[in-house]
């Protein structure tokens, strides 16, 4: 089982299982991790709001979890997911939709 | 430019640009981020040792950075990299080499 840090959290990275795209990064406490395994949909712990949330609970853009992988030191998990719509709250397909150009500016590269 | 948290850190996710594989997750402070951009090789900040390290500095398994992407709220970065050898210190191709089976045990799925 994964190891939670001093704040009771671990980092979860959501990857689209169909094409390997990095979709988003969020945090899980033990409750969010258990809910994710129990329901098959990604749940996270909001550090700002201090509570459990299901990704897509208001937008409908849920992440169906196909597989959960853990890293070597077990403090991070990879969620292999099937997204129902855009993963980002900005409605981009992924939260990582901009690259840093050589001059330091941000360039949008993904719709 | 990315935003560092209260501890001066952001989360960096390394993705193999050739096949989209999630390789590893680590943290960067401003120094590690600047060194990564300056040298073209992934540098991180070790929270346990409290210092800068270049991934592969002892093993030779460096990560050449092809592109850096930032997420919507700019507190995480995606490093699109070309790895020189296995990314994990266990010599697995990726740190995320095990999946959590339905019964909660860990199954190795990647060499």
């Amino acid at each position: 089982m994964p190891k939670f840090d001093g704040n009771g959290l671990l980092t979860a990275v959501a990857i689209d299982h169909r094409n390997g795209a990095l979709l988003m990064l969020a945090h899980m406490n033990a409750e969010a991790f258990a809910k994710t395994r129990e329901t098959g949909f990604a749940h996270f712990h909001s550090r700002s709001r201090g509570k459990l949330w299901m990704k897509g609970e208001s937008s409908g853009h849920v992440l169906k979890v196909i597989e959960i992988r853990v890293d070597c030191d077990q403090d991070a998990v990879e969620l292999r997911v099937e997204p129902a719509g855009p993963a980002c709250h900005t409605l981009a397909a992924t939260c990582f939709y901009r690259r840093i150009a050589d001059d330091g500016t941000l360039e949008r590269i993904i719709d």
Side-chain angles (χ1 to χ4, degrees), chain A residues 3-19:
Chain A
K3 291 170 189 160
F4 298 92
D5 70 11
N7 294 315
L9 298 174
L10 54 75
T11 305
V13 178
I15 302 279
D16 190 327
H17 82 109
R18 301 166 306 182
N19 58 16

Side-chain angles (χ1 to χ4, degrees), chain A residues 34-81:
Chain A
K35 273 283 185 192
T36 298
R37 290 200 69 210
E38 183 187 317
T39 64
F41 289 93
H43 286 67
F44 301 109
H45 176 78
S46 167
R47 292 181 298 177
S48 54
R49 289 174 292 153
K51 60 174 229 175
L52 181 77
W53 62 288
M54 182 177 80
K55 163 66 185 161
E57 62 191 4
S58 52
S59 67
H61 302 149
V62 296
L63 299 176
K64 184 178 175 187
V65 178
I66 309 297
E67 189 171 271
I68 304 178
R69 299 181 187 172
V70 294
D71 75 345
C72 49
D73 53 6
Q74 299 182 45
D75 63 358
V77 295
E78 172 181 4
L79 305 177
R80 308 280 307 179
V81 303

